[in-house]
Amino acid sequence: MSSAVEFDERLIETLRSLTTIGIHNAVRGFSGLLGHKLDFGEPNVKLVPLTEIPMIVGGPENEAVGIYLRAEGDFHAQIMMILPLEKAFQLVDLLMEQPEGSTTFLGSLERSALGEVGNMTGTFFMNAVANALGREIRPTPPAVMVDMVGAILDIIVATTGGVSDHVLLIQTCFKDGSRSVLTDFWVIPDAQSLQALQQAEKRE
């Protein structure tokens, strides 16, 4: 079965709905940790070829930050948040209520903040999927990588195992007042997990 058939329009709409729930809960949880309210833009969810990821995030040689985790249990997927380095700096400043331009390198505190964004967003997305399916889903601890986009994506390509030549792109803005940072999340479910979601949506 081709990836284009696996990701039909109804399935993408289901994932869009689950993503909105997940990001809303993640932002609310992160706001509680930070002690100030964050907001987010309506997620844009679309299917893109795996080969287009490097250009979407600035080119294969562009330095970037990748936050990677996997869903395990009754639903298997890979989730990767990829930010060009300058956007990662901006997001750290936004999260830590610092003037834009304050962050110029990623120390342990900054990496921890970015890792928690990817972790909470991925975990709450998985929770939304778990509730929809009535199944158990466990996230792995997030791995934070700083490298060229091409090197980060090698990890995804090496672990997809030929499941799909398309991935789900989820774009949303994290907002704090007049400031916002656009973030990209990439979700690669395995074939059986896609089928489980399709069956769940058909029962609704």
Side-chain angles (χ1 to χ4, degrees), residues 24-204:
H24 172 78
N25 290 335
V27 168
R28 185 171 59 184
F30 211 81
S31 296
L33 287 178
L34 295 172
H36 67 277
K37 186 178 185 301
L38 295 180
D39 201 356
F40 69 98
E42 186 71 20
N44 177 31
V45 181
K46 58 184 176 182
L47 193 64
V48 299
L50 187 64
T51 54
E52 287 187 11
I53 296 180
M55 301 315 299
I56 292 175
V57 291
E61 297 183 357
N62 193 38
E63 195 168 11
V65 178
I67 300 100
Y68 174 83
L69 63 158
R70 297 189 311 277
E72 298 180 341
D74 296 328
F75 181 91
H76 293 269
Q78 298 179 88
I79 299 176
M80 173 77 83
M81 177 180 172
I82 302 178
L83 288 168
L85 196 57
E86 288 302 318
K87 279 191 179 182
F89 292 161
Q90 293 171 19
L91 184 56
V92 170
D93 287 339
L94 183 150
L95 294 171
M96 302 180 72
E97 294 188 290
Q98 300 175 152
E100 190 170 337
S102 297
T103 301
T104 57
F105 72 99
L106 298 178
S108 59
L109 181 63
E110 292 80 8
R111 287 173 182 249
S112 176
L114 292 171
E116 193 59 28
V117 170
N119 181 44
M120 291 190 73
T121 305
T123 297
F124 279 109
F125 169 75
M126 292 178 204
N127 288 344
V129 174
N131 289 336
L133 294 176
R135 299 186 180 188
E136 180 185 356
I137 303 175
R138 301 182 303 273
T140 63
V144 180
M145 298 161 282
V146 181
D147 208 328
M148 290 188 298
V149 170
I152 293 172
L153 292 179
D154 282 345
I155 297 172
I156 298 179
V157 174
T159 54
T160 54
V163 168
S164 174
D165 58 358
H166 284 67
V167 296
L168 201 68
L169 169 61
I170 301 166
Q171 293 179 313
T172 189
C173 282
F174 286 96
K175 300 180 179 181
D176 188 355
S178 61
R179 298 168 64 182
S180 66
V181 180
L182 180 66
T183 57
D184 294 338
F185 291 88
W186 308 88
V187 180
I188 311 175
D190 69 9
Q192 289 185 340
S193 297
L194 284 177
Q195 290 172 2
L197 276 173
Q198 285 176 322
Q199 291 169 2
E201 61 157 1
K202 289 175 180 177
R203 290 195 296 267
E204 295 179 355

Side-chain angles (χ1 to χ4, degrees), residues 11-23 42-43 45 125 128:
L11 179 56
I12 292 175
E13 185 56 41
T14 297
L15 288 166
R16 181 180 291 111
S17 175
L18 296 175
T19 297
T20 302
I21 295 169
I23 292 177
E42 186 71 20
V45 181
F125 169 75

